[in-house]
Amino acid sequence: MDKQIKMVPEGVNKIDNLKIFSYPTRLAAAWKADILEINIPSYEIYRPAIEIVTEEGISNTSKTGNILKKIYAKISAPIELGDKYFLDTRYETDKNIAHILKNIAPGLLASKHFPPKIPEITVVLKANACEMAKTAYQLLGFPVLCTDKNVKGKVITAPTGRFGQYEIWYPELFGKLSFEGYIADTPKRVFISRKGNRGLTNESDIEDLLQDYGFKKFYYEDIPIPLQWSITRNAEMMVAIHGAALGSLVFNQKRLKLIELFHPGYVTHAFRQMTYAVGGSWCGVTGQITENVIKELDFNHKARAFAMSPTTIDIKSLTMALDYMKVNKVN
């Protein structure tokens, strides 16, 4: 088979002007701690056309970095898929749902959606791939092959979506995608919290406040994937701690209003841009600054020093964010 190339069209991701509300700090007012309102000007991100290539060949484990797996693959006969198409995802983690939905799934769905459309694509995972990954790909409509051997067939090479290349196409690729177990009747206002790392030290206070606004709390790590995706697809207003649970924003169809909660030492833009890609709006709230934040970030340049750290969110800061997003109390 000759090499075939399909193009995902170019586009522009437009981001409105935004705000982040801080924990009260004397960096704002030396004599009495106050809340910083951080303004982020509007901006546009140009997304060039994406090239997806299909050709007969062998995909191998060379990108996994595991020497034993490379040796095993070299001495083992490859798995023959014949005329079947497949995409090898073994270079990417299979334990993070956001990585699956943001980095891998868009290329798979684009391969099926844009001409020449490929009706069935097998996803190749590591032999010890976690159940979450297998379930996620199957719900998206892709059969899974778990192996550490080389695989021979019609190889699909699609750019990773790690840098948001597919974002403008989320509504078309994910918006109306059906999946088994979808639940239409889920809460419109949801609070997505976390257990373990990156949690809130004052979660009960935040939950009490949000209950006055009609929010229902969920821990996504405790509920099945179809329910996670259903909740996020149907949500109109969401307050959520930054993390993998927000990967399911790709499914949202309600022009979601998102308030994202951050540790002040780990503020990132990925889900801000994802929210606007699905037609929503966003603002952020950062937690209490500890004495080592500025040292580690600005002087030691350790960008991920607080990536998994818990934080304390100020009630007034969150209330200001709710007002800014025009969310009213229901009680």
Side-chain angles (χ1 to χ4, degrees), residues 210-226:
L210 292 176
Q211 283 178 347
D212 291 340
Y213 289 82
F215 284 77
K216 180 174 175 57
K217 184 174 77 171
F218 292 94
Y219 294 109
Y220 270 25
E221 56 264 53
D222 287 348
I223 61 178
I225 292 175

Side-chain angles (χ1 to χ4, degrees), residues 181-200:
Y182 170 67
I183 301 169
D185 186 17
T186 56
K188 302 305 180 187
R189 297 185 176 192
V190 294
F191 169 37
I192 310 302
S193 192
R194 286 174 61 107
K195 295 181 177 179
N197 57 37
R198 207 185 283 162
L200 300 176

Side-chain angles (χ1 to χ4, degrees), residues 169-277:
W169 298 108
Y170 286 167
E172 195 164 342
L173 298 176
F174 291 95
K176 292 181 170 59
L177 182 72
S178 61
F179 53 86
E180 185 178 354
Y182 170 67
I183 301 169
D185 186 17
T186 56
K188 302 305 180 187
R189 297 185 176 192
V190 294
F191 169 37
I192 310 302
S193 192
R194 286 174 61 107
K195 295 181 177 179
N197 57 37
R198 207 185 283 162
L200 300 176
T201 60
N202 62 333
E203 180 178 318
S204 60
D205 295 334
I206 298 302
E207 184 177 7
D208 288 344
L209 171 68
L210 292 176
Q211 283 178 347
D212 291 340
Y213 289 82
F215 284 77
K216 180 174 175 57
K217 184 174 77 171
F218 292 94
Y219 294 109
Y220 270 25
E221 56 264 53
D222 287 348
I223 61 178
I225 292 175
L227 180 54
Q228 296 176 27
W229 293 357
S230 298
I231 291 169
T232 307
R233 169 170 278 179
N234 302 329
E236 296 176 357
M237 179 67 222
M238 180 180 289
V239 176
I241 302 171
H242 171 80
L246 286 173
S248 54
L249 287 171
V250 294
F251 293 101
N252 187 261
Q253 297 177 295
K254 301 294 185 180
R255 303 185 70 84
L256 174 78
K257 294 180 179 181
L258 171 64
I259 297 176
E260 191 171 0
L261 309 181
F262 296 97
H263 187 287
Y266 195 66
V267 178
T268 69
H269 63 264
F271 297 121
R272 173 202 315 165
Q273 293 174 182
M274 186 181 288
T275 301
Y276 276 87

